[in-house]
Amino acid sequence: MVLDLMVIGTAVTLGPLHNSAFILLLFSRRGVRQGLAFLLSWLANLVAVIAVVVLLTGGQPPARHSAPSTAGIAAKLVIGLALVLYGAYRHRRPPRPHGPPRWTARIDNATPVTAAGLAWLLQPWGLVAAGAATVVDAQLSTLTDWLALAGYCVLATLSLIVMEMYVVWAPTAANARLNALRSWLDGHQEQLIITLSLAAGLWLTARSIYQLVA
């Protein structure tokens, strides 16, 4: 479970879409406040999904090869295959020029509530669902699994935390470097989406097949 959560959390935190949007928020009016609203909403989403799973399982993993256990593994397999197919589709389709989304033009006037809602919209729900299917195996009577869940949430939010702290502590340097990062993300968005989709999808698919046959 721990290794799966690390892979999923890394794929989540490296996603180009929410990182680009977060940088725009940071340099809007009241940017630090907007960024904090986005960050907390993002983290709350991850925690809420985990809480729902834990409530359903009672904090006890289902018995191996039982119906609930097999269903959780099958869900990860389906998500993994979907990510692989999505990455392959994005790779094969002809390149298309794309400008910034229309909402970016109105981001200066965004409220903290809007920023919080944007975090939910930009959440990579496929990966979050994979994380939820993995959390089914959490045994909350052990400190290790508590730390694994907390580490997953922090890892999946790490890029936002680092950028928020950078702007707070070194706003001048952050302005130049984060804007350069956003330009790079925009220029490599397609490659990043394809790479992350294929990498996470292949990992989930391989792990799920192994768990089903082992």
Side-chain angles (χ1 to χ4, degrees), residues 48-73:
V49 170
I50 290 174
V52 169
V53 174
V54 169
L55 286 173
L56 292 174
T57 64
Q60 295 294 327
R64 191 177 180 184
H65 296 310
S66 65
S69 175
T70 302
I73 297 171

Side-chain angles (χ1 to χ4, degrees), residues 182-212:
R182 184 175 65 83
S183 297
W184 185 86
L185 289 172
D186 289 344
H188 296 81
Q189 176 179 299
E190 195 69 15
Q191 297 95 316
L192 286 169
I193 291 174
I194 292 169
T195 300
L196 291 173
S197 297
L198 290 176
L202 288 171
W203 172 267
L204 290 169
T205 301
R207 286 281 289 176
S208 301
I209 292 173
Y210 173 78
Q211 290 172 337
L212 286 172

Side-chain angles (χ1 to χ4, degrees), residues 167-188:
V167 169
V168 170
W169 293 108
T172 303
N175 189 7
R177 292 181 180 177
L178 291 183
N179 275 312
L181 174 60
R182 184 175 65 83
S183 297
W184 185 86
L185 289 172
D186 289 344
H188 296 81

Side-chain angles (χ1 to χ4, degrees), residues 25-73:
L25 279 171
L26 286 176
F27 296 111
S28 64
R29 287 184 292 176
R30 303 180 299 278
V32 172
R33 185 186 303 176
Q34 309 280 49
L36 184 60
F38 185 103
L39 190 159
L40 293 177
S41 177
W42 181 275
L43 184 59
N45 178 27
L46 295 170
V47 172
V49 170
I50 290 174
V52 169
V53 174
V54 169
L55 286 173
L56 292 174
T57 64
Q60 295 294 327
R64 191 177 180 184
H65 296 310
S66 65
S69 175
T70 302
I73 297 171

Side-chain angles (χ1 to χ4, degrees), residues 36-123:
L36 184 60
F38 185 103
L39 190 159
L40 293 177
S41 177
W42 181 275
L43 184 59
N45 178 27
L46 295 170
V47 172
V49 170
I50 290 174
V52 169
V53 174
V54 169
L55 286 173
L56 292 174
T57 64
Q60 295 294 327
R64 191 177 180 184
H65 296 310
S66 65
S69 175
T70 302
I73 297 171
K76 285 196 295 183
L77 177 59
V78 170
I79 294 168
L81 290 172
L83 287 171
V84 170
L85 291 174
Y86 180 69
Y89 164 74
R90 296 285 292 245
H91 177 68
R92 289 173 60 87
R93 75 177 185 180
R96 295 182 296 181
H98 63 277
R102 282 179 289 182
W103 56 262
T104 59
R106 302 191 295 272
I107 208 162
D108 275 340
N109 298 318
T111 65
V113 173
T114 303
L118 188 60
W120 285 71
L121 289 174
L122 294 178
Q123 194 85 225

